[in-house]
Amino acid sequence: MNLDASHDPAMQSWVDSANQPQTDFPIQNLPFGRFRGPDGTLRAAVAIGDQLLDLKQAAACPGWPAGLEGALEALAAGNMNRFMALGKTARQGLRMALSEGFKAGSQQQAAWSACLLPQQAVQMALPCEIGDYTDFYAGIHHATAVGRLFRPDAPLLPNYKWVPIGYHGRSSSIIVSGQPIRRPLGQTKGSGEVPVVGPSQRLDYELELGFLIGAGNQLGEAIAIDDAEDHLFGVTLFNDWSARDIQAWEYQPLGPFLAKNFASSLSPWVVTMEALAPFRAPPLLRQAGDPQPLPYLDGANDRLQGGLNIQLEAWLQTAAMRAAGQSAVRLSSGNASEAAYWTPAQLVAHHTLGGCNLQPGDLFGSGTLSGPRPDQAGSLMEQSQGGKQPIRLPNGETRSFLADGDELTLKAFCERAGARRIGLGECSAIVLPAKG
Ligand code: CA
């Protein structure tokens, strides 16, 4: 593990809220995001406790170490993608400077205090411009559970343990947490002879991690598995909303289309790979008889700690709960390290094997990250057994799929002995009724 002074679990910040035990954003985290500034333009920021550091203002403060000019220029301009393109060394250098500057007793306190804003007071935006979005299917328990609904005898298709399955998604409809989504219209085919057009009746969420690409690669040049992590910028929460009934009718032979392209929600803060260093985990243990990864998917470091020890949760608050002042109920709780068959590095190596060029700001969805147990399932499709067994909520309501007015919130955090707890924040949205 590449741990340094920025991971010291005992380190405290002069920002009081960053020292609260349950904050997602202690000084050991320092995730990046963008918010809409008072002039309406997008600005880059770092989260610290319940505050954010406006990097347009902070970049103009004196006291930055030499060598960070390129990173600070990009961030001062609100150009996250240009910062992401600079790669790991620039990101690590900036992380060290931010860690020093936020540390209790730092000389930056006076200047940086004036660059802080309460996170609650600003409107967050997507953390970067997302050029391309690829949705993987790395959650083996999800793939197995969904496959079992269709093929009880052979839930996993024969390719699953050889090739990281994915498809190219739609980036224009990726929205930031907090924006509502609208129930999509689509073609569905019930028991009738002809399909009908109307609102999806089986709207679902998918609990995923989003991996954002930092430095890209040239068209025609594959990224080797041992270099793959150098191209990862960081990790977000990602809800890949799915209209299961639309998907069931349209997905053959080319895969999901309108079932997915109406919206996907992303959390506003990107937790960097450096912040996650204390929370790496071995990849999911292969079962006896499983194939070993092919050589281009097999890296020495990836075998040791290619996985992510991230705790994942989904929470639901219905409109009736909200009206009654009842707080959200947790639908599931699991861990990415028990859910993902393929590591982020393997996704990068596979995506580029044929020469596809990744670009700064590209997004990979992990695929729904369900654990092995039913209470770890990252979608309602699994929790309700394809709609056959509605789940019962504490107030007596039931759900097979999402209803209008439901607010679905994803949360994630990392905890282990000897490290400071960090979190990924939230990815949340309310479901609006379909357009009439
Ligand atoms: Ca998905």
Side-chain angles (χ1 to χ4, degrees):
M1 268 181 254
N2 296 314
L3 300 190
D4 56 37
S6 71
H7 301 99
D8 176 2
M11 186 170 31
Q12 299 268 301
S13 173
W14 51 262
V15 181
D16 286 337
S17 59
N19 303 323
Q20 300 299 315
Q22 288 306 305
T23 181
D24 278 352
F25 308 124
I27 189 172
Q28 292 82 357
N29 193 346
L30 304 174
F32 292 96
R34 291 189 305 178
F35 70 103
R36 206 159 282 286
D39 55 0
T41 61
L42 290 177
R43 295 196 183 184
V46 172
I48 179 86
D50 61 9
Q51 306 286 302
L52 61 76
L53 183 74
D54 178 349
L55 287 170
K56 183 184 173 82
Q57 289 186 60
C61 296
W64 291 98
L68 297 178
E69 293 80 6
L72 289 171
E73 268 172 39
L75 291 165
N79 193 330
M80 190 70 77
N81 294 61
R82 185 140 58 85
F83 171 56
M84 297 168 95
L86 296 175
K88 189 164 102 176
T89 309
R91 198 170 65 237
Q92 279 174 332
L94 187 66
R95 173 180 170 84
M96 294 311 296
L98 289 165
S99 178
E100 282 293 319
F102 279 126
K103 200 157 73 177
S106 166
Q107 292 187 348
Q108 300 287 44
Q109 178 173 354
W112 287 13
S113 293
C115 310
L116 290 181
L117 288 167
Q119 286 166 29
Q120 279 198 325
V122 303
Q123 185 194 345
M124 295 302 294
L126 286 174
C128 61
E129 302 299 315
I130 300 169
D132 272 312
Y133 153 47
T134 303
D135 192 24
F136 282 96
Y137 202 47
I140 188 168
H141 304 294
H142 172 78
T144 305
V146 171
R148 191 175 288 127
L149 295 172
F150 299 104
R151 298 174 300 276
D153 299 334
L156 274 188
L157 291 169
N159 56 6
Y160 190 86
K161 291 179 175 176
W162 292 97
V163 54
I165 300 295
Y167 69 95
H168 288 116
R170 183 81 192 165
S171 55
S172 66
S173 52
I174 296 174
I175 55 176
V176 70
S177 172
Q179 288 187 24
I181 67 146
R182 193 170 283 286
R183 178 180 300 274
L185 301 177
Q187 249 195 60
T188 57
K189 174 77 165 57
S191 50
E193 268 189 25
V194 295
V196 296
V197 177
S200 168
Q201 301 299 312
R202 291 162 74 96
L203 179 63
D204 201 355
Y205 68 93
E206 293 195 329
L207 198 185
E208 304 196 19
L209 290 174
F211 306 122
L212 284 163
I213 299 299
N217 60 307
Q218 294 295 316
L219 179 64
E221 300 290 329
I223 296 175
I225 182 89
D226 291 335
D227 301 330
E229 292 231 348
D230 290 350
H231 294 266
L232 288 169
F233 179 82
V235 180
T236 58
L237 274 164
F238 185 58
N239 183 346
D240 184 32
W241 305 97
S242 294
R244 305 292 183 194
D245 46 355
I246 297 172
Q247 185 171 350
W249 171 234
E250 74 177 2
Y251 85 105
Q252 288 177 318
L254 286 186
F257 190 26
L258 272 69
K260 301 279 195 179
N261 72 5
F262 59 96
S264 308
S265 298
L266 195 71
S267 58
W269 295 108
V270 191
V271 175
T272 63
M273 298 312 288
E274 288 71 42
L276 290 165
F279 306 102
R280 302 310 300 264
L284 197 68
L285 200 63
R286 299 300 194 250
Q287 292 171 347
D290 280 4
Q292 288 304 306
L294 291 168
Y296 79 96
L297 295 172
D298 191 8
N301 186 58
D302 201 52
R303 274 192 181 208
L304 286 177
Q305 50 174 24
L308 291 163
N309 174 12
I310 300 179
Q311 198 66 24
L312 303 164
E313 297 180 347
W315 294 74
L316 175 68
Q317 187 189 45
T318 68
M321 291 164 72
R322 207 161 39 251
Q326 293 160 344
S327 48
V329 59
R330 194 171 70 187
L331 297 180
S332 69
S333 171
N335 193 290
S337 66
E338 296 177 337
Y341 193 81
W342 301 105
T343 66
Q346 287 172 320
L347 303 184
V348 169
H350 181 66
H351 202 302
T352 60
L353 175 65
C356 175
N357 50 327
L358 302 178
Q359 296 182 306
D362 282 357
L363 174 69
F364 288 3
S366 60
T368 308
L369 294 175
S370 300
R373 296 203 317 265
D375 64 340
Q376 299 170 325
S379 71
L380 281 171
M381 173 92 154
E382 292 159 85
Q383 292 169 37
S384 70
Q385 303 276 319
K388 290 194 289 285
Q389 289 184 341
I391 59 166
R392 182 165 290 277
L393 303 175
N395 68 350
E397 287 184 280
T398 59
R399 284 291 180 278
S400 295
F401 294 95
L402 294 168
D404 293 345
D406 284 356
E407 181 175 43
L408 197 290
T409 301
L410 308 180
K411 300 182 187 183
F413 55 90
C414 305
E415 264 178 357
R416 75 159 173 83
R420 179 68 159 98
R421 177 198 191 276
I422 64 171
L424 277 73
E426 291 187 0
C427 180
S428 188
I430 288 188
V431 177
L432 299 179
K435 282 220 157 127

